[in-house]
Amino acid sequence: GLTSIGERAFMYTAIKSLTIPNTVTIINSYYYQYANDPYQGAFENCKNLTEIKIGDGLTYIDSETFYGCTALKSVTIGESVATINSHAFAGCSALVDIDFGSGVQTINRYAFSGCKALTELELGSAVQSIGDYAFSGCNNLAEATLGDSVTSIGTEAFSNCTTLGNIVIPNAVTSLGSRTFSGCSSLKSAEIGAGVTTINEATFSGCSAMTSITIGDNVKTIGKNAFYDCSALAEISIPQSVTKIADYVFDNCSSLTDVVIENDSTALSLGSNGASPLFADCPLDSMYIGRKINYSTLSSYGYSPF
């Protein structure tokens, strides 16, 4: 007959396994203002908890519900859960197995941040939104499969996932936050789908192993520092849709030898590396320019892109 679990109900207890029945429709988190960490969850810091099975009665998992459950290894999420709120599983450093079910649509900010044991991620088919820092610091995450329903990926959503080897951004994604994959030092390849129009600031900064990047045909702007320190990137093709490449985009791209700017009738605006040329750090062997390019010839902008 249980229908609700109150705020801080099991905090710091020695509970080892947990099954939440279908009758439970709400688990509360305690909220207080004017603090750096304004939530406390019902099962927060249950440091012996290893397994959770959530029934089909819940529609959302509240903020910090399982925050800091450092022994937690397995989570099964009920089919009715649509939202996983901020920090819900943050700091669950032993978590290796997540079954998202078929109902989860929204994964909010920091939801799984610091889940360092997580090696593989396969999102449920209904997931639409991945919040800021949602999987940041999951530094053993080697594979991540984003479902075709995902439309937005937040700021630093996968930052410092230092084992991640490749990423495919689905065509449904229209919003890609800044620094989304920054610090993913093992990332070798990335494909940006047709829905993305802007590669935001520092999206792939520090991806020092990246050798292949496919930019979607609808990208219009490549933001500041987008490929900063992609020191293994040897070639790149700029599609005809791109009209602006901002400052420092290729800063410290010390292996970039081949650049293609595809043919188009629209001019492409190029930035600089401050007082240095945009491609100052690139040992270019080949540059194909298929349209007009605009750039500043002032000394403060490096005179030209080259």
Side-chain angles (χ1 to χ4, degrees), residues 17-55:
S17 65
L18 172 67
T19 299
I20 298 172
N22 294 337
T23 53
V24 173
T25 58
I26 187 168
I27 299 176
N28 283 317
S29 288
Y30 177 75
Y31 175 77
Y32 52 96
Q33 288 182 304
Y34 313 118
N36 291 330
D37 191 7
Y39 287 95
Q40 288 183 335
F43 298 91
E44 184 173 331
N45 285 306
C46 290
K47 296 187 180 298
N48 293 321
L49 185 60
T50 61
E51 182 181 9
I52 298 170
K53 295 180 180 179
I54 298 172

mmCIF file of all heavy atoms in Angstrom, residues 17-55:
data_model
loop_
_atom_site.group_PDB
_atom_site.id
_atom_site.type_symbol
_atom_site.label_atom_id
_atom_site.label_comp_id
_atom_site.label_asym_id
_atom_site.label_seq_id
_atom_site.Cartn_x
_atom_site.Cartn_y
_atom_site.Cartn_z
ATOM 1 N N SER A 17 20.043 -3.256 -0.665
ATOM 2 C CA SER A 17 19.301 -3.399 -1.916
ATOM 3 C C SER A 17 17.925 -2.777 -1.746
ATOM 4 O O SER A 17 17.417 -2.655 -0.631
ATOM 5 C CB SER A 17 19.177 -4.868 -2.331
ATOM 6 O OG SER A 17 18.401 -5.590 -1.396
ATOM 7 N N LEU A 18 17.326 -2.388 -2.858
ATOM 8 C CA LEU A 18 16.093 -1.617 -2.779
ATOM 9 C C LEU A 18 15.198 -1.955 -3.957
ATOM 10 O O LEU A 18 15.626 -1.906 -5.111
ATOM 11 C CB LEU A 18 16.425 -0.118 -2.804
ATOM 12 C CG LEU A 18 15.272 0.862 -2.914
ATOM 13 C CD1 LEU A 18 14.417 0.826 -1.653
ATOM 14 C CD2 LEU A 18 15.795 2.274 -3.144
ATOM 15 N N THR A 19 13.958 -2.300 -3.670
ATOM 16 C CA THR A 19 12.934 -2.462 -4.695
ATOM 17 C C THR A 19 11.789 -1.515 -4.358
ATOM 18 O O THR A 19 11.186 -1.622 -3.287
ATOM 19 C CB THR A 19 12.415 -3.912 -4.760
ATOM 20 O OG1 THR A 19 13.492 -4.785 -5.078
ATOM 21 C CG2 THR A 19 11.333 -4.043 -5.825
ATOM 22 N N ILE A 20 11.528 -0.592 -5.246
ATOM 23 C CA ILE A 20 10.447 0.368 -5.037
ATOM 24 C C ILE A 20 9.211 -0.155 -5.760
ATOM 25 O O ILE A 20 9.229 -0.315 -6.987
ATOM 26 C CB ILE A 20 10.850 1.750 -5.572
ATOM 27 C CG1 ILE A 20 12.074 2.258 -4.803
ATOM 28 C CG2 ILE A 20 9.694 2.735 -5.444
ATOM 29 C CD1 ILE A 20 12.673 3.524 -5.364
ATOM 30 N N PRO A 21 8.127 -0.451 -5.042
ATOM 31 C CA PRO A 21 6.954 -1.084 -5.655
ATOM 32 C C PRO A 21 6.209 -0.141 -6.596
ATOM 33 O O PRO A 21 6.390 1.085 -6.568
ATOM 34 C CB PRO A 21 6.091 -1.465 -4.457
ATOM 35 C CG PRO A 21 6.499 -0.529 -3.377
ATOM 36 C CD PRO A 21 7.947 -0.246 -3.591
ATOM 37 N N ASN A 22 5.351 -0.712 -7.429
ATOM 38 C CA ASN A 22 4.596 0.055 -8.406
ATOM 39 C C ASN A 22 3.638 1.047 -7.775
ATOM 40 O O ASN A 22 3.211 2.011 -8.428
ATOM 41 C CB ASN A 22 3.816 -0.889 -9.326
ATOM 42 C CG ASN A 22 4.714 -1.740 -10.208
ATOM 43 O OD1 ASN A 22 5.856 -1.371 -10.461
ATOM 44 N ND2 ASN A 22 4.215 -2.871 -10.657
ATOM 45 N N THR A 23 3.286 0.816 -6.516
ATOM 46 C CA THR A 23 2.331 1.706 -5.852
ATOM 47 C C THR A 23 2.937 3.063 -5.511
ATOM 48 O O THR A 23 2.214 4.040 -5.342
ATOM 49 C CB THR A 23 1.812 1.055 -4.564
ATOM 50 O OG1 THR A 23 2.941 0.665 -3.756
ATOM 51 C CG2 THR A 23 0.958 -0.162 -4.861
ATOM 52 N N VAL A 24 4.267 3.131 -5.407
ATOM 53 C CA VAL A 24 4.928 4.389 -5.055
ATOM 54 C C VAL A 24 4.899 5.341 -6.254
ATOM 55 O O VAL A 24 5.393 5.027 -7.327
ATOM 56 C CB VAL A 24 6.383 4.161 -4.603
ATOM 57 C CG1 VAL A 24 7.098 5.491 -4.397
ATOM 58 C CG2 VAL A 24 6.408 3.360 -3.318
ATOM 59 N N THR A 25 4.299 6.512 -6.044
ATOM 60 C CA THR A 25 4.178 7.495 -7.117
ATOM 61 C C THR A 25 5.048 8.725 -6.893
ATOM 62 O O THR A 25 5.193 9.547 -7.793
ATOM 63 C CB THR A 25 2.713 7.944 -7.267
ATOM 64 O OG1 THR A 25 2.262 8.495 -6.023
ATOM 65 C CG2 THR A 25 1.827 6.771 -7.661
ATOM 66 N N ILE A 26 5.632 8.852 -5.685
ATOM 67 C CA ILE A 26 6.461 10.018 -5.422
ATOM 68 C C ILE A 26 7.547 9.692 -4.397
ATOM 69 O O ILE A 26 7.307 8.977 -3.427
ATOM 70 C CB ILE A 26 5.607 11.214 -4.940
ATOM 71 C CG1 ILE A 26 6.468 12.486 -4.829
ATOM 72 C CG2 ILE A 26 4.914 10.910 -3.630
ATOM 73 C CD1 ILE A 26 5.651 13.750 -4.633
ATOM 74 N N ILE A 27 8.749 10.176 -4.677
ATOM 75 C CA ILE A 27 9.848 10.160 -3.706
ATOM 76 C C ILE A 27 10.333 11.602 -3.605
ATOM 77 O O ILE A 27 10.772 12.185 -4.595
ATOM 78 C CB ILE A 27 10.999 9.237 -4.146
ATOM 79 C CG1 ILE A 27 10.513 7.793 -4.285
ATOM 80 C CG2 ILE A 27 12.144 9.300 -3.148
ATOM 81 C CD1 ILE A 27 11.571 6.843 -4.809
ATOM 82 N N ASN A 28 10.250 12.165 -2.444
ATOM 83 C CA ASN A 28 10.569 13.579 -2.275
ATOM 84 C C ASN A 28 12.042 13.821 -1.975
ATOM 85 O O ASN A 28 12.710 12.989 -1.368
ATOM 86 C CB ASN A 28 9.743 14.185 -1.141
ATOM 87 C CG ASN A 28 8.309 14.457 -1.561
ATOM 88 O OD1 ASN A 28 8.059 14.952 -2.646
ATOM 89 N ND2 ASN A 28 7.363 14.109 -0.696
ATOM 90 N N SER A 29 12.516 14.991 -2.379
ATOM 91 C CA SER A 29 13.806 15.492 -1.944
ATOM 92 C C SER A 29 13.577 16.743 -1.110
ATOM 93 O O SER A 29 12.651 17.518 -1.370
ATOM 94 C CB SER A 29 14.692 15.839 -3.142
ATOM 95 O OG SER A 29 15.135 14.667 -3.788
ATOM 96 N N TYR A 30 14.418 16.908 -0.117
ATOM 97 C CA TYR A 30 14.322 18.082 0.752
ATOM 98 C C TYR A 30 15.031 19.251 0.089
ATOM 99 O O TYR A 30 16.164 19.129 -0.366
ATOM 100 C CB TYR A 30 14.955 17.789 2.110
ATOM 101 C CG TYR A 30 14.962 18.965 3.058
ATOM 102 C CD1 TYR A 30 13.790 19.362 3.694
ATOM 103 C CD2 TYR A 30 16.134 19.669 3.312
ATOM 104 C CE1 TYR A 30 13.780 20.434 4.568
ATOM 105 C CE2 TYR A 30 16.143 20.754 4.174
ATOM 106 C CZ TYR A 30 14.972 21.133 4.803
ATOM 107 O OH TYR A 30 14.962 22.194 5.649
ATOM 108 N N TYR A 31 14.354 20.384 0.028
ATOM 109 C CA TYR A 31 14.939 21.577 -0.591
ATOM 110 C C TYR A 31 15.056 22.685 0.444
ATOM 111 O O TYR A 31 14.124 22.957 1.193
ATOM 112 C CB TYR A 31 14.063 22.072 -1.742
ATOM 113 C CG TYR A 31 14.554 23.371 -2.351
ATOM 114 C CD1 TYR A 31 15.640 23.380 -3.203
ATOM 115 C CD2 TYR A 31 13.933 24.579 -2.045
ATOM 116 C CE1 TYR A 31 16.116 24.555 -3.751
ATOM 117 C CE2 TYR A 31 14.398 25.767 -2.592
ATOM 118 C CZ TYR A 31 15.478 25.746 -3.445
ATOM 119 O OH TYR A 31 15.943 26.918 -3.971
ATOM 120 N N TYR A 32 16.225 23.295 0.467
ATOM 121 C CA TYR A 32 16.395 24.454 1.327
ATOM 122 C C TYR A 32 17.190 25.513 0.582
ATOM 123 O O TYR A 32 18.064 25.207 -0.219
ATOM 124 C CB TYR A 32 17.096 24.095 2.644
ATOM 125 C CG TYR A 32 18.388 23.350 2.497
ATOM 126 C CD1 TYR A 32 19.608 24.006 2.521
ATOM 127 C CD2 TYR A 32 18.399 21.962 2.326
ATOM 128 C CE1 TYR A 32 20.802 23.314 2.387
ATOM 129 C CE2 TYR A 32 19.592 21.262 2.182
ATOM 130 C CZ TYR A 32 20.780 21.951 2.225
ATOM 131 O OH TYR A 32 21.955 21.268 2.089
ATOM 132 N N GLN A 33 16.866 26.766 0.825
ATOM 133 C CA GLN A 33 17.469 27.868 0.096
ATOM 134 C C GLN A 33 18.789 28.313 0.723
ATOM 135 O O GLN A 33 19.118 27.941 1.846
ATOM 136 C CB GLN A 33 16.503 29.059 0.052
ATOM 137 C CG GLN A 33 15.308 28.834 -0.865
ATOM 138 C CD GLN A 33 14.415 30.057 -0.914
ATOM 139 O OE1 GLN A 33 13.945 30.529 0.109
ATOM 140 N NE2 GLN A 33 14.182 30.561 -2.119
ATOM 141 N N TYR A 34 19.507 29.117 -0.077
ATOM 142 C CA TYR A 34 20.712 29.797 0.394
ATOM 143 C C TYR A 34 21.806 28.821 0.828
ATOM 144 O O TYR A 34 22.484 29.038 1.810
ATOM 145 C CB TYR A 34 20.376 30.761 1.535
ATOM 146 C CG TYR A 34 19.185 31.615 1.244
ATOM 147 C CD1 TYR A 34 18.040 31.549 2.024
ATOM 148 C CD2 TYR A 34 19.200 32.492 0.148
ATOM 149 C CE1 TYR A 34 16.938 32.340 1.739
ATOM 150 C CE2 TYR A 34 18.095 33.277 -0.141
ATOM 151 C CZ TYR A 34 16.972 33.192 0.656
ATOM 152 O OH TYR A 34 15.872 33.964 0.364
ATOM 153 N N ALA A 35 21.943 27.740 0.114
ATOM 154 C CA ALA A 35 23.027 26.797 0.386
ATOM 155 C C ALA A 35 23.657 26.417 -0.942
ATOM 156 O O ALA A 35 23.029 26.478 -1.988
ATOM 157 C CB ALA A 35 22.503 25.566 1.104
ATOM 158 N N ASN A 36 24.910 26.006 -0.909
ATOM 159 C CA ASN A 36 25.595 25.617 -2.134
ATOM 160 C C ASN A 36 24.986 24.362 -2.754
ATOM 161 O O ASN A 36 25.023 24.163 -3.952
ATOM 162 C CB ASN A 36 27.077 25.385 -1.843
ATOM 163 C CG ASN A 36 27.798 26.674 -1.504
ATOM 164 O OD1 ASN A 36 27.428 27.735 -1.990
ATOM 165 N ND2 ASN A 36 28.813 26.585 -0.655
ATOM 166 N N ASP A 37 24.447 23.496 -1.938
ATOM 167 C CA ASP A 37 23.874 22.239 -2.399
ATOM 168 C C ASP A 37 22.466 22.138 -1.816
ATOM 169 O O ASP A 37 22.264 21.579 -0.746
ATOM 170 C CB ASP A 37 24.740 21.062 -1.912
ATOM 171 C CG ASP A 37 24.348 19.749 -2.577
ATOM 172 O OD1 ASP A 37 23.516 19.759 -3.503
ATOM 173 O OD2 ASP A 37 24.876 18.716 -2.156
ATOM 174 N N PRO A 38 21.459 22.696 -2.529
ATOM 175 C CA PRO A 38 20.172 22.932 -1.888
ATOM 176 C C PRO A 38 19.216 21.750 -1.824
ATOM 177 O O PRO A 38 18.066 21.925 -1.448
ATOM 178 C CB PRO A 38 19.576 24.033 -2.768
ATOM 179 C CG PRO A 38 20.136 23.771 -4.121
ATOM 180 C CD PRO A 38 21.517 23.244 -3.880
ATOM 181 N N TYR A 39 19.649 20.543 -2.185
ATOM 182 C CA TYR A 39 18.763 19.382 -2.123
ATOM 183 C C TYR A 39 19.370 18.296 -1.246
ATOM 184 O O TYR A 39 20.587 18.175 -1.121
ATOM 185 C CB TYR A 39 18.524 18.797 -3.527
ATOM 186 C CG TYR A 39 17.623 19.627 -4.397
ATOM 187 C CD1 TYR A 39 18.142 20.546 -5.289
ATOM 188 C CD2 TYR A 39 16.235 19.488 -4.321
ATOM 189 C CE1 TYR A 39 17.318 21.311 -6.093
ATOM 190 C CE2 TYR A 39 15.401 20.245 -5.130
ATOM 191 C CZ TYR A 39 15.945 21.155 -6.008
ATOM 192 O OH TYR A 39 15.120 21.909 -6.798
ATOM 193 N N GLN A 40 18.510 17.501 -0.657
ATOM 194 C CA GLN A 40 18.920 16.264 0.008
ATOM 195 C C GLN A 40 17.904 15.196 -0.340
ATOM 196 O O GLN A 40 16.696 15.388 -0.171
ATOM 197 C CB GLN A 40 19.011 16.452 1.528
ATOM 198 C CG GLN A 40 20.198 17.308 1.941
ATOM 199 C CD GLN A 40 20.332 17.437 3.452
ATOM 200 O OE1 GLN A 40 19.366 17.312 4.183
ATOM 201 N NE2 GLN A 40 21.549 17.682 3.909
ATOM 202 N N GLY A 41 18.396 14.058 -0.860
ATOM 203 C CA GLY A 41 17.511 13.037 -1.385
ATOM 204 C C GLY A 41 17.161 11.958 -0.383
ATOM 205 O O GLY A 41 17.831 11.770 0.628
ATOM 206 N N ALA A 42 16.112 11.215 -0.706
ATOM 207 C CA ALA A 42 15.584 10.202 0.202
ATOM 208 C C ALA A 42 16.591 9.094 0.498
ATOM 209 O O ALA A 42 16.606 8.540 1.603
ATOM 210 C CB ALA A 42 14.301 9.604 -0.372
ATOM 211 N N PHE A 43 17.436 8.759 -0.466
ATOM 212 C CA PHE A 43 18.415 7.683 -0.299
ATOM 213 C C PHE A 43 19.849 8.196 -0.477
ATOM 214 O O PHE A 43 20.755 7.415 -0.757
ATOM 215 C CB PHE A 43 18.136 6.559 -1.300
ATOM 216 C CG PHE A 43 16.789 5.904 -1.114
ATOM 217 C CD1 PHE A 43 15.684 6.378 -1.789
ATOM 218 C CD2 PHE A 43 16.628 4.839 -0.246
ATOM 219 C CE1 PHE A 43 14.441 5.796 -1.630
ATOM 220 C CE2 PHE A 43 15.381 4.253 -0.070
ATOM 221 C CZ PHE A 43 14.282 4.731 -0.761
ATOM 222 N N GLU A 44 20.036 9.469 -0.288
ATOM 223 C CA GLU A 44 21.352 10.070 -0.465
ATOM 224 C C GLU A 44 22.384 9.474 0.496
ATOM 225 O O GLU A 44 22.099 9.237 1.668
ATOM 226 C CB GLU A 44 21.259 11.588 -0.242
ATOM 227 C CG GLU A 44 22.543 12.325 -0.499
ATOM 228 C CD GLU A 44 22.368 13.834 -0.437
ATOM 229 O OE1 GLU A 44 21.256 14.318 -0.748
ATOM 230 O OE2 GLU A 44 23.338 14.519 -0.096
ATOM 231 N N ASN A 45 23.561 9.194 -0.054
ATOM 232 C CA ASN A 45 24.689 8.686 0.738
ATOM 233 C C ASN A 45 24.384 7.384 1.477
ATOM 234 O O ASN A 45 24.900 7.141 2.568
ATOM 235 C CB ASN A 45 25.168 9.755 1.725
ATOM 236 C CG ASN A 45 25.961 10.848 1.039
ATOM 237 O OD1 ASN A 45 26.933 10.583 0.340
ATOM 238 N ND2 ASN A 45 25.524 12.081 1.206
ATOM 239 N N CYS A 46 23.555 6.546 0.850
ATOM 240 C CA CYS A 46 23.403 5.168 1.344
ATOM 241 C C CYS A 46 24.576 4.380 0.745
ATOM 242 O O CYS A 46 24.459 3.783 -0.321
ATOM 243 C CB CYS A 46 22.060 4.578 0.919
ATOM 244 S SG CYS A 46 20.641 5.304 1.741
ATOM 245 N N LYS A 47 25.666 4.379 1.430
ATOM 246 C CA LYS A 47 26.934 3.950 0.859
ATOM 247 C C LYS A 47 27.102 2.433 0.766
ATOM 248 O O LYS A 47 28.111 1.955 0.243
ATOM 249 C CB LYS A 47 28.092 4.570 1.629
ATOM 250 C CG LYS A 47 28.122 6.100 1.508
ATOM 251 C CD LYS A 47 29.346 6.703 2.132
ATOM 252 C CE LYS A 47 29.347 8.226 2.000
ATOM 253 N NZ LYS A 47 29.361 8.688 0.609
ATOM 254 N N ASN A 48 26.122 1.653 1.259
ATOM 255 C CA ASN A 48 26.155 0.196 1.097
ATOM 256 C C ASN A 48 25.167 -0.291 0.036
ATOM 257 O O ASN A 48 25.131 -1.478 -0.281
ATOM 258 C CB ASN A 48 25.844 -0.501 2.412
ATOM 259 C CG ASN A 48 26.921 -0.280 3.449
ATOM 260 O OD1 ASN A 48 28.101 -0.278 3.114
ATOM 261 N ND2 ASN A 48 26.539 -0.080 4.695
ATOM 262 N N LEU A 49 24.384 0.621 -0.514
ATOM 263 C CA LEU A 49 23.352 0.259 -1.479
ATOM 264 C C LEU A 49 23.994 -0.142 -2.807
ATOM 265 O O LEU A 49 24.743 0.632 -3.410
ATOM 266 C CB LEU A 49 22.413 1.455 -1.690
ATOM 267 C CG LEU A 49 21.185 1.251 -2.583
ATOM 268 C CD1 LEU A 49 20.290 0.160 -2.032
ATOM 269 C CD2 LEU A 49 20.404 2.564 -2.699
ATOM 270 N N THR A 50 23.707 -1.363 -3.263
ATOM 271 C CA THR A 50 24.336 -1.881 -4.478
ATOM 272 C C THR A 50 23.366 -2.064 -5.640
ATOM 273 O O THR A 50 23.793 -2.103 -6.788
ATOM 274 C CB THR A 50 25.022 -3.227 -4.207
ATOM 275 O OG1 THR A 50 24.034 -4.180 -3.783
ATOM 276 C CG2 THR A 50 26.097 -3.097 -3.134
ATOM 277 N N GLU A 51 22.072 -2.192 -5.363
ATOM 278 C CA GLU A 51 21.114 -2.502 -6.435
ATOM 279 C C GLU A 51 19.792 -1.785 -6.178
ATOM 280 O O GLU A 51 19.299 -1.753 -5.057
ATOM 281 C CB GLU A 51 20.882 -4.011 -6.519
ATOM 282 C CG GLU A 51 19.930 -4.428 -7.632
ATOM 283 C CD GLU A 51 19.708 -5.929 -7.673
ATOM 284 O OE1 GLU A 51 20.150 -6.622 -6.732
ATOM 285 O OE2 GLU A 51 19.077 -6.405 -8.629
ATOM 286 N N ILE A 52 19.230 -1.215 -7.246
ATOM 287 C CA ILE A 52 17.946 -0.521 -7.156
ATOM 288 C C ILE A 52 17.049 -0.981 -8.295
ATOM 289 O O ILE A 52 17.472 -1.027 -9.460
ATOM 290 C CB ILE A 52 18.120 1.003 -7.261
ATOM 291 C CG1 ILE A 52 18.978 1.553 -6.124
ATOM 292 C CG2 ILE A 52 16.762 1.705 -7.263
ATOM 293 C CD1 ILE A 52 19.370 2.997 -6.325
ATOM 294 N N LYS A 53 15.810 -1.299 -7.954
ATOM 295 C CA LYS A 53 14.779 -1.576 -8.955
ATOM 296 C C LYS A 53 13.606 -0.642 -8.680
ATOM 297 O O LYS A 53 13.010 -0.685 -7.609
ATOM 298 C CB LYS A 53 14.334 -3.035 -8.904
ATOM 299 C CG LYS A 53 15.438 -4.016 -9.272
ATOM 300 C CD LYS A 53 14.936 -5.458 -9.215
ATOM 301 C CE LYS A 53 16.057 -6.425 -9.597
ATOM 302 N NZ LYS A 53 15.604 -7.842 -9.539
ATOM 303 N N ILE A 54 13.311 0.203 -9.653
ATOM 304 C CA ILE A 54 12.267 1.214 -9.484
ATOM 305 C C ILE A 54 11.018 0.767 -10.236
ATOM 306 O O ILE A 54 11.073 0.483 -11.438
ATOM 307 C CB ILE A 54 12.752 2.578 -10.017
ATOM 308 C CG1 ILE A 54 13.980 3.040 -9.218
ATOM 309 C CG2 ILE A 54 11.640 3.627 -9.939
ATOM 310 C CD1 ILE A 54 14.643 4.277 -9.775
ATOM 311 N N GLY A 55 9.908 0.712 -9.531
ATOM 312 C CA GLY A 55 8.651 0.265 -10.115
ATOM 313 C C GLY A 55 8.056 1.244 -11.107
ATOM 314 O O GLY A 55 8.595 2.325 -11.353
#
